Amino acid sequence: MRRSWFKNTAAIRSVAPSLRSVRTNPHCVRFLPLLLLAILSDIHGRVALADDQIFDLQELSVKGRVVAARLADFNGDQHVDLMMVTLEGIPPDELRTIRVYLGQEDGQFPTAASHSIAVPRWSSVYDVADLKETPGDELLLLRPDGVTIMSIAKSGAPQWDLPVSGPSTVGAASDERGFDALHMVYHDFGEQPWILVPQIGLISALSVDGTVLAQIEVGRRANYFLVPPAAPFSMESDLQLYFDAPKVAVGDVDGDGRNDIVTSNRHEIRVYLRAVNGTFPRQPSQRLALHFISRQDNARGSGSVATTARDIDDDGRLDLLITHVEGSFSDAVTTTYVFRNREGSWNLDEPDDVFVSDHALGSDLLLDIDNDERLELVRIRQKFSVLEFIELLLTKEVDSQLMVHYLQPDNHFGTRPAIKRKISTGISFESFRPEGFLPPTGLDLNADGYMDFVSSINGKGIAVYLGGGKKPWAKRTSLQKFPSSGAIRFTDYDDDGMLDFVLFDPRQFDSVVRVGRNRGELPGSPTVQH
C-alpha cells in the first residue's frame, strides 16, 4: 500500500504542472479540442489485444524525426507515391528534408527514398494539390512572404514562388517541432483552384499563377506574454506571442447560388458575399459579434468559442454550430448552439437548438454517420470533478461520453441522443497527450457507405468499430496488433475503393513509418482479390 501511495503521489506531482498551465496560460487553451477529439481513440477503453489481419503492412525505417507523411501521385504515373518530411538535428543546425518514395507496380514502396529535396527556408505548413502542368500533384508551402508551389516528382523539379502584398503571412517561420497540413487550396469558386493565403489580419486569394483574385480583412487577435524585469524568474525570450488566425468556411450564405466566405474566431463572425462578377469585398458584408466569452474568461484566457458553418437543413445555405466552453477544468460548462440561416444571416440572440453540459469540457461535430445525406450532431463530453480527477491519476485514463442527435422532420436536433457510447482513452503523464493517434472522423473502412471508427488501442494496436445498423460502433469489429502511436492519414492509394493509411510518430527519433493496405476483409467489404 505504501509503495502504491508513493507511486500515485508521484503521478499527481507529474501532472499537476500541466493542469495548472492549462488553466493559467492562454496558449494552452488551444490544445483542449485536440484532447477532446482524442477520446475517440478507444470506444470501450483498454481491451485485450487480438491480431486480426485488417491491413497488409509495409514498414520503412527512416533516419531523423518524421513530422509529415502523405500519400499522393507526385510524378503522374498513376501509382500513388509516399512523401515524408524529416527533421534531423536541432536548430540552428537542423536539416529539413522532403523524401519521396515512388510507388511500384506491386503497390509497394522502395525501402530507401527515390529522391530527396531540401525544404525551402521558413516553410511553416503545407497542402497538396494538382496545381501546375507538371506531372502529378504538387506541394504547396506557406512562407512569410507568400506561398511556394513545388513539384517533387524528381530532384531538380521546378518550383514557383507566389508573393502576396500587405502584412506577413501567419507562416512567420518554420515550426520548431513539426510540419503540419493546412487547407489552402479551394475548388469552390469555379473551374480553377483558388489559394487562400492567411496573413496577419488579411486573407489573400491567389490563382495558381499568382494573380490576386481577392483580399479580405479578417481582423487580428493575439495574446502576449512578457515577464516584468523584476520578476523572480526568467524566460528564454523577451516576448512570447500566440496569434489566432480565424477559421475559414466556404459556402452560400445569402442563397444566390454563389459561394461566399465566412471567417470566425472566439469574438466575432465575418461574412464576405461574392458579387455577380465573382469578386469579394475587402470589408465584410456582415459582421456579427458573438458576446459568448465572459469577462473572467477573457481576462484569464480560458474558455473557447468554436464555430462550424455547414448546411444542416439542406436548403443550400450555411447554418451555424457554435460550441462555447466556459471556464476551465474546475468550473467548465459546455453549451452547444445551433443557428439556422434565415434570409441570409443568423439571429445569434435566438438559437434554434441548445444543449448544456455542466461540469464538462466538450467538443461538437457535424457528420453524416448513416449515409442518408443528412448531418448528425455528435457531442463529445468529458466530465470533471474530484472523483474523475482522482480516477485519471490512478488509471491514467480519461472517461468521456459520445452522444449522437439525429435531425428531426422539423429541422431540430432531437433533445435526447439517439446513440450514447462511453469512451475511454489512455493518457501519457509525460506529455499529457493521448497514447496512440488522434483518430480522424468520417471514415468508411469497409466501403458500405456508413461511417466507421478506427482507433489506436493505447499505441499497441489499431481497432475498427463498424457503423451501420441499429447500434453503430456498439462493439469492436476487428483489432490488429502493431505499434500505433503518432499520427495517421487515410486515403485509397491502390484504387480499390477502400481506405488505406500511412502512420508516423513525430515524437520518435529514427522511427518506423508504416503503410497499411486495406485487405478488404472487414464485414461488408467488397470482394477483393489478394
Side-chain angles (χ1 to χ4, degrees), residues 126-173:
Y126 76 95
D127 199 359
V128 173
D130 187 2
L131 299 176
K132 292 290 186 177
E133 294 183 357
T134 49
D137 291 335
E138 287 81 35
L139 194 63
L140 185 76
L141 305 173
L142 182 65
R143 304 174 72 189
D145 57 355
V147 295
T148 294
I149 301 174
M150 293 183 66
S151 170
I152 58 174
K154 59 182 180 180
S155 295
Q159 72 177 48
W160 301 263
D161 294 324
L162 309 183
V164 293
S165 61
S168 167
T169 75
V170 298

Side-chain angles (χ1 to χ4, degrees), residues 216-217 253-254 260-263 269-275 279-288 344-346:
I216 59 176
E217 295 186 7
V253 174
D254 57 357
D260 309 305
I261 298 176
V262 179
T263 67
I269 296 172
R270 296 187 180 196
V271 178
Y272 305 83
L273 299 177
R274 195 177 189 190
T279 62
F280 282 93
R282 188 180 180 94
Q283 298 297 327
S285 310
Q286 300 179 34
R287 188 171 176 177
L288 292 79
S345 191
W346 312 276

Side-chain angles (χ1 to χ4, degrees), residues 206-520:
L206 305 181
S207 68
V208 295
D209 63 0
T211 301
V212 178
L213 303 172
Q215 284 190 319
I216 59 176
E217 295 186 7
V218 296
R220 308 182 183 198
R221 176 177 170 260
N223 284 282
Y224 302 88
F225 183 59
L226 296 88
V227 175
F233 60 93
S234 62
M235 290 197 315
E236 60 187 24
S237 58
D238 286 336
L239 180 150
Q240 291 184 357
L241 165 66
Y242 169 54
F243 182 84
D244 190 357
K247 291 180 66 175
V248 176
V250 175
D252 190 358
V253 174
D254 57 357
D256 63 0
R258 295 184 293 272
N259 281 335
D260 309 305
I261 298 176
V262 179
T263 67
S264 61
N265 59 30
R266 68 195 268 129
H267 296 303
E268 68 174 359
I269 296 172
R270 296 187 180 196
V271 178
Y272 305 83
L273 299 177
R274 195 177 189 190
V276 176
N277 62 2
T279 62
F280 282 93
R282 188 180 180 94
Q283 298 297 327
S285 310
Q286 300 179 34
R287 188 171 176 177
L288 292 79
L290 291 173
H291 294 311
F292 286 134
I293 294 296
S294 67
R295 291 183 299 174
Q296 183 181 34
D297 281 343
N298 187 57
R300 68 184 183 181
S302 58
S304 69
V305 177
T307 300
T308 300
R310 298 282 300 275
D311 181 8
I312 296 174
D313 51 13
D314 198 30
D315 66 350
R317 297 178 298 182
L318 291 180
D319 306 298
L320 295 182
L321 170 70
I322 297 180
T323 305
H324 176 210
V325 179
E326 185 175 3
S328 189
F329 280 107
S330 61
D331 57 354
V333 176
T334 299
T335 306
T336 303
Y337 300 94
V338 179
F339 299 91
R340 298 294 188 279
N341 187 321
R342 291 181 173 84
E343 299 181 358
S345 191
W346 312 276
N347 185 351
L348 299 183
D349 294 325
E350 296 183 8
D352 293 272
D353 297 307
V354 180
F355 302 89
V356 180
S357 300
D358 293 324
H359 307 293
L361 290 171
S363 183
D364 299 314
L365 304 169
L366 289 169
L367 299 169
D368 181 7
I369 68 170
D370 54 4
N371 196 33
D372 65 351
E373 298 184 353
R374 293 170 69 85
L375 295 173
E376 282 75 51
L377 171 61
V378 181
R379 301 167 60 223
I380 307 165
R381 294 295 181 266
Q382 286 183 335
K383 287 283 187 179
F384 278 94
S385 67
V386 174
L387 292 179
E388 275 86 12
F389 181 64
I390 293 174
E391 181 181 358
L392 166 65
L393 298 176
L394 295 178
T395 66
K396 296 186 178 181
E397 287 186 346
V398 174
D399 293 329
S400 303
Q401 191 173 59
L402 180 147
M403 296 166 284
V404 178
H405 300 258
Y406 286 100
L407 196 64
Q408 304 301 307
D410 61 357
N411 284 330
H412 290 271
F413 287 108
T415 55
R416 293 181 178 274
I419 301 172
K420 296 177 69 173
R421 295 286 181 266
K422 180 182 177 181
I423 304 169
S424 299
T425 189
I427 297 294
S428 169
F429 281 176
E430 293 181 359
S431 62
F432 204 57
R433 292 174 178 265
E435 295 178 347
F437 55 75
L438 276 173
T441 58
L443 299 179
D444 180 9
L445 291 181
N446 61 348
D448 65 350
Y450 294 97
M451 193 188 80
D452 308 316
F453 276 131
V454 58
S455 66
S456 170
I457 303 301
N458 300 308
K460 299 178 181 178
I462 188 169
V464 175
Y465 300 83
L466 291 181
K470 295 182 178 179
K471 294 183 178 180
W473 330 306
K475 63 179 181 179
R476 189 183 76 241
T477 305
S478 299
L479 188 151
Q480 186 171 350
K481 182 180 180 181
F482 60 87
S484 58
S485 294
I488 195 166
R489 302 288 182 265
F490 279 88
T491 189
D492 178 14
Y493 86 83
D494 53 5
D495 200 29
D496 64 356
M498 293 178 297
L499 293 176
D500 315 291
F501 71 80
V502 57
L503 175 69
F504 61 99
D505 193 343
R507 291 173 285 176
Q508 295 296 321
F509 299 93
D510 300 333
S511 60
V512 174
V513 174
R514 293 175 174 85
V515 180
R517 181 176 180 178
N518 195 324
R519 294 169 55 88

